[in-house]
Amino acid sequence: MEHTHIGGDVFFLLTGAILVFAMHGGFAFLEAGTVRHKNQVNALVKILVDFALSTLAYFAIGFPIAYGISFFVSAHELAGLAGGNVFGAQGLTLVKFFFLATFAAAVPAIISGGVAERMKFLPQSIATLALVGLLYPLVEGIIWNGNYGIQATIESLTGAKLHDFAGSLVVHAFGGWVALGAVITLGARKGRYTAAGRSHPFPPSSILWLSLGSWLLCTGWFGFNVMSAQSLDSVSGLVAINSLMAMVGGIVTAAIAGRNDPGFVHNGALAGLVAVCAGSDVFHPIGALITGGIAGIIFVRGFHICQERLRIDDVLGVWPLHGLCGLWGGIACGIFGLERLGGMGGVSPVAQIVGSLVVAAFGAVAGFAVYGVLKSTIGIRLDEEQEYRGADLSIHKIGASPEAEIR
């Protein structure tokens, strides 16, 4: 029975890892549909290569930093066949790594959408290695593994640890605020704003690809949230219903605030899901619905402020979507997670507010630092002619429709 139980946990986590891995296809198609046609190939290649580099960096450096476990041991020990080893029977830790690696790889996938259409390929690859190998694991290890005693200190001061069940802060807020630093450092696309400062938006290349990306992300997100329980004993239907309600809330409010714009509607679903990650295990479904609904409005308003008032050329709106909605999700956990508001309790508003702001600030500093160093050393931006031709031909030497282009 014990072997069956462990095998069930292995299969459970493996299924979750596959679902979250499929989300990276969603990131790719969302970006491919949002950018101009001459940059579609670059969007697809970037996401796949970033996933590969993230996995390597997380395997060699990131996971050991976050959890203190190194994979440089014998395969016999990795499979859990050596007595007393840390990998667990049937290689449970190995599928845990796979599952968490898909989370880690979401950080560069988030950033990719912000820096699209003018970022050089090599610097983005180096940034991925630095972020996933060194900086992201610090946040992950502190919040999810209690590293450095910081969570214990927060609990002693506020009565509860910083709660982030599935990554509103660890993944989305961190990635979104890194993206803000990257986008500002990189600068706007040529022609996006006139010399007088007027906005000149570029239309997306394909609403169909954009929509497919959103659907893939929404589907995989139930693996992202529900299977963050990481075991059959801990899995809860409450997480599933809260994720569903937050997604619905984000869709409805984004449709209203965005006046039925398909880009806002499809990203509104993602805004709700980003925000519910932190408290999906402690919310009442109505609290999740409100959290997601507010997130939908935050995205629509935040996108306009970012693009039009601040004139920050964040192509996919990843800072409002992941940075602001992730920040809101961390704070909302300390509100709607309270028992008096129908939640499960065990959360502190003070811990959630302060912790969320610290994660966001660390992400922004990391973004400016990593991309600032790369800009001052090897350069991060395509030259004007390359940008005009598009990243597809400039970097990959082929367009999205080669046969049609030959004709």
Side-chain angles (χ1 to χ4, degrees):
M1 288 295 294
E2 182 180 351
H3 285 299
T4 301
H5 182 76
I6 294 171
D9 285 346
V10 170
F11 187 74
F12 176 76
L13 262 182
L14 178 60
T15 303
I18 293 169
L19 282 169
V20 183
F21 175 53
M23 291 176 68
H24 289 267
F27 281 120
F29 284 112
L30 186 70
E31 183 175 336
T34 306
V35 299
R36 289 169 288 179
H37 188 268
K38 62 183 179 179
N39 298 295
Q40 287 183 322
V41 171
N42 180 246
L44 297 170
V45 174
K46 265 193 310 177
I47 300 296
L48 190 60
V49 172
D50 278 344
F51 183 87
L53 294 175
S54 296
T55 301
L56 292 174
Y58 195 63
F59 180 87
I61 306 171
F63 193 81
I65 288 175
Y67 299 100
I69 298 174
S70 172
F71 294 103
F72 295 101
V73 297
S74 70
H76 190 81
E77 188 171 347
L78 289 175
L81 300 176
N85 75 72
V86 298
F87 291 95
Q90 298 178 248
L92 180 60
T93 301
L94 302 183
V95 290
K96 179 180 179 180
F97 162 79
F98 181 14
F99 182 65
L100 292 174
T102 60
F103 280 57
V107 171
I110 290 167
I111 298 166
S112 175
V115 302
E117 300 203 342
R118 74 273 200 206
M119 181 79 189
K120 287 183 177 179
F121 199 81
L122 178 60
Q124 177 59 20
S125 298
I126 295 172
T128 293
L129 293 172
L131 289 165
V132 178
L134 297 172
L135 298 175
Y136 169 81
L138 291 176
V139 179
E140 178 186 20
I142 289 170
I143 296 178
W144 284 345
N145 198 47
N147 292 356
Y148 314 117
I150 294 176
Q151 282 282 39
T153 301
I154 293 173
E155 186 176 19
S156 67
L157 293 173
T158 67
K161 296 177 181 178
L162 176 60
H163 190 90
D164 186 13
F165 180 70
S168 287
L169 299 173
V170 174
V171 178
H172 298 287
F174 176 75
W177 285 86
V178 170
L180 177 65
V183 170
I184 293 175
T185 303
L186 186 61
R189 291 167 290 176
K190 296 296 180 182
R192 179 62 181 85
Y193 302 101
T194 66
R198 294 188 64 183
S199 176
H200 184 262
F202 298 135
S205 58
S206 173
I207 297 299
L208 298 180
W209 288 130
L210 183 158
S211 303
L212 175 64
S214 176
W215 277 100
L216 283 172
L217 284 164
C218 287
T219 302
W221 221 295
F222 288 88
F224 196 97
N225 282 3
V226 176
M227 292 174 175
S228 285
Q230 297 192 26
S231 71
L232 290 171
D233 282 342
S234 302
V235 68
S236 170
L238 182 65
V239 178
I241 192 65
N242 283 340
S243 301
L244 178 65
M245 296 301 284
M247 181 187 75
V248 169
I251 293 169
V252 171
T253 57
I256 296 170
R259 299 181 179 179
N260 299 322
D261 180 283
F264 286 136
V265 171
H266 286 91
N267 279 285
L270 307 182
L273 286 163
V274 165
V276 80
C277 288
S280 56
D281 63 328
V282 295
F283 286 157
H284 185 279
I286 295 175
L289 178 67
I290 297 171
T291 298
I294 293 174
I297 296 171
I298 288 173
F299 172 69
V300 174
R301 300 302 182 209
F303 187 88
H304 282 303
I305 292 170
C306 176
Q307 301 282 340
E308 308 304 327
R309 295 187 188 177
L310 301 178
R311 293 197 294 275
I312 297 172
D313 189 16
D314 180 352
V315 180
L316 269 68
V318 297
W319 174 56
L321 178 60
H322 298 275
L324 294 182
C325 292
L327 177 62
W328 159 241
I331 294 171
C333 180
I335 301 172
F336 296 106
L338 296 171
E339 286 189 62
R340 59 180 174 270
L341 291 179
M344 297 285 287
V347 296
S348 161
V350 174
Q352 294 303 127
I353 293 170
V354 175
S356 299
L357 291 172
V358 169
V359 171
F362 179 72
V365 170
F368 280 111
V370 170
Y371 286 88
V373 169
L374 289 170
K375 181 179 181 179
S376 63
T377 52
I378 63 175
I380 60 176
R381 183 165 182 147
L382 296 173
D383 63 38
E384 191 168 347
E385 181 181 351
Q386 290 174 324
E387 187 178 338
Y388 177 78
R389 293 178 67 210
D392 292 358
L393 295 179
S394 297
I395 297 175
H396 308 288
K397 314 304 179 188
I398 193 168
S401 307
E403 186 178 11
E405 290 162 7
I406 289 172
R407 292 199 195 101

